[in-house]
Amino acid sequence: MKIYPLNTGNFKLDGGAMFGVVPKSLWQKTNPADANNMCSWAMRCLLIEDGDRLMIIDNGMGNKQDDKFFGYYYLFGDDTLTGNLKKLGFHPDDVTDVFLTHLHFDHCGGGIQWNADRTKFEATFKNATYWSNSMHWKWATEPNAREKASFLKENIIPMMELGQLKFIDKEGFNYFDILMVNGHTDAQMIPHIKYKGKTLVFMADLLPSVGHIPLAYVMGYDTRPLITLEEKGKFLKEAADKEYVLFLEHDIDNQCCTVQHTEKGVRLKDTFRLDECFG
C-alpha cells in the first residue's frame, strides 16, 4: 500500500464561522484572518494505492458552479484535483473507489463534472464506485434549512443516477475501519487506516485543523455542537492514548499531526508532512 496527500485547491471561509463561540483574539493565534475576517483553508484529500485498487478519500469543491458561487470562497493557488492526480502518475480513469466522508460541497464536488459541451453531468472518475452511507445520503438529499446550502444537488444526485453510488452499510465495506460521528453533520465517516505499523486517521470535519484541537473550538457550521464536543473529546483521548497520526483535510499549513495528554487536556504534540512520518 502507498498513500499520498492530494490537495485539490485552497479557499477562504469566515474565521468566526470556523471557530464558533471562540473569540477572534484566541483563534487568530493559530489561524490569522485577512482584512475581511477570512481564513485560508486547504481541501486536502488522500489517495490510496493498494494492488489493483486506487481510492480517493473526498475530492474537493470541483468546478461546476458559476463565478458568483465561487466568489464567496476566494479560491486561490494552482492545485487542482485532476492536475495533482496526474502529477502523481495517475489518470482519473485509474481511480476505482471514491470514499466520501460526507456530502458537503467542499468534500464531494470534485466527483461530478460537466461533460465536454456542458449539456449534462458526468462522473469525474468513470470507473469508480462512489461510497457514502444510507443515513447520510437521506440527510443530504432531504436537507434541513440550516445545511441546505452545503448540499448541492448537482454534486450529489448524479452519483446515483449514473449507477456508481454504493452505501457502505449495505455493501459490507471492509477496506478500513470507520468512525461514525454526528456533531458536524449526520453520519459523517472518519476513516482509520492501518499503514506501516501506525493508524492514520482522515479527520475530515471532526478536526479541520490543529487550531481546533481544544474542545471548545467547534465550528459554527456544526449542526450539533454539544455532540461534537463529546465526539471530539472521546476521539482525541483515544488518539493520544494510541498515538494516532491525524491527517488534516483543511489545515492550510499542516498535513498531519499527533496529540498528547497535558494538564490542560489533549493538546498538539507534533506537526509534519505525511512523507516525514511514513517515508
Side-chain angles (χ1 to χ4, degrees):
M1 179 188 291
K2 295 181 180 179
I3 297 181
Y4 314 88
L6 185 68
N7 196 357
T8 69
N10 304 307
F11 68 137
K12 294 187 177 185
L13 292 171
D14 182 84
M18 285 299 289
F19 289 98
V21 300
V22 177
K24 182 179 180 180
S25 58
L26 296 178
W27 60 251
Q28 70 177 353
K29 295 176 182 178
T30 56
N31 296 82
D34 64 18
N36 294 317
N37 212 51
M38 306 293 281
C39 298
S40 296
W41 307 96
M43 290 177 283
R44 184 182 297 112
C45 305
L46 203 61
L47 184 68
I48 304 173
E49 181 186 14
D50 190 14
D52 60 357
R53 297 185 75 171
L54 186 67
M55 175 180 288
I56 288 179
I57 300 179
D58 284 355
N59 53 50
M61 194 180 295
N63 58 9
K64 297 185 295 302
Q65 288 75 32
D66 58 22
D67 290 342
K68 180 180 179 181
F69 175 86
F70 291 117
Y72 297 134
Y73 302 105
Y74 303 90
L75 302 181
F76 66 95
D78 298 324
D79 289 304
T80 66
L81 172 60
T82 56
N84 283 341
L85 186 64
K86 290 177 181 178
K87 286 180 181 178
L88 291 171
F90 302 105
H91 188 275
D93 292 353
D94 298 330
V95 176
T96 61
D97 300 89
V98 177
F99 183 92
L100 300 165
T101 61
H102 61 297
L103 298 173
H104 286 168
F105 66 87
D106 56 318
H107 294 257
C108 75
I112 300 295
Q113 63 187 9
W114 285 108
N115 65 355
D117 57 7
R118 296 181 68 87
T119 57
K120 63 180 180 178
F121 296 121
E122 63 182 14
T124 305
F125 308 104
K126 66 180 184 181
N127 297 319
T129 297
Y130 287 59
W131 295 95
S132 183
N133 68 76
S134 58
M135 187 181 302
H136 184 66
W137 181 263
K138 179 176 174 60
W139 185 264
T141 55
E142 301 173 16
N144 60 79
R146 193 169 183 272
E147 267 186 293
K148 187 174 182 180
S150 293
F151 292 126
L152 305 182
K153 291 182 179 179
E154 64 268 29
N155 289 339
I156 298 171
I157 302 302
M159 290 187 282
M160 178 167 282
E161 292 179 339
L162 292 165
Q164 293 182 233
L165 178 70
K166 290 186 178 180
F167 296 137
I168 63 161
D169 47 319
K170 295 184 178 180
E171 298 291 340
F173 184 92
N174 59 4
Y175 195 65
F176 42 67
D177 294 333
I178 298 166
L179 171 67
M180 287 280 195
V181 290
N182 299 293
H184 177 62
T185 188
D186 204 55
Q188 179 184 197
M189 300 187 289
I190 307 298
H192 287 49
I193 304 158
K194 301 295 185 183
Y195 185 50
K196 295 186 176 181
K198 299 179 183 291
T199 297
L200 177 67
V201 185
F202 187 92
M203 294 310 305
D205 280 343
L206 178 61
L207 191 76
S209 74
V210 297
H212 290 86
I213 291 173
L215 284 184
Y217 288 58
V218 172
M219 291 189 290
Y221 297 113
D222 285 20
T223 60
R224 306 182 187 97
L226 295 180
I227 292 179
T228 295
L229 279 174
E230 181 180 350
E231 291 171 339
K232 190 169 75 167
K234 181 179 179 181
F235 171 80
L236 287 175
K237 181 181 184 299
E238 181 177 308
D241 289 343
K242 297 184 178 181
E243 300 182 332
Y244 290 163
V245 176
L246 312 184
F247 184 88
L248 303 167
E249 186 164 10
H250 287 313
D251 194 311
I252 193 74
D253 296 314
N254 304 294
Q255 285 185 5
C256 301
C257 74
T258 52
V259 293
Q260 61 186 339
H261 294 288
T262 75
E263 292 180 355
K264 294 183 178 181
V266 176
R267 291 292 187 270
L268 178 68
K269 183 178 181 181
D270 294 309
T271 61
F272 42 85
R273 297 192 311 272
L274 186 69
D275 60 2
E276 291 176 323
C277 181
F278 294 104

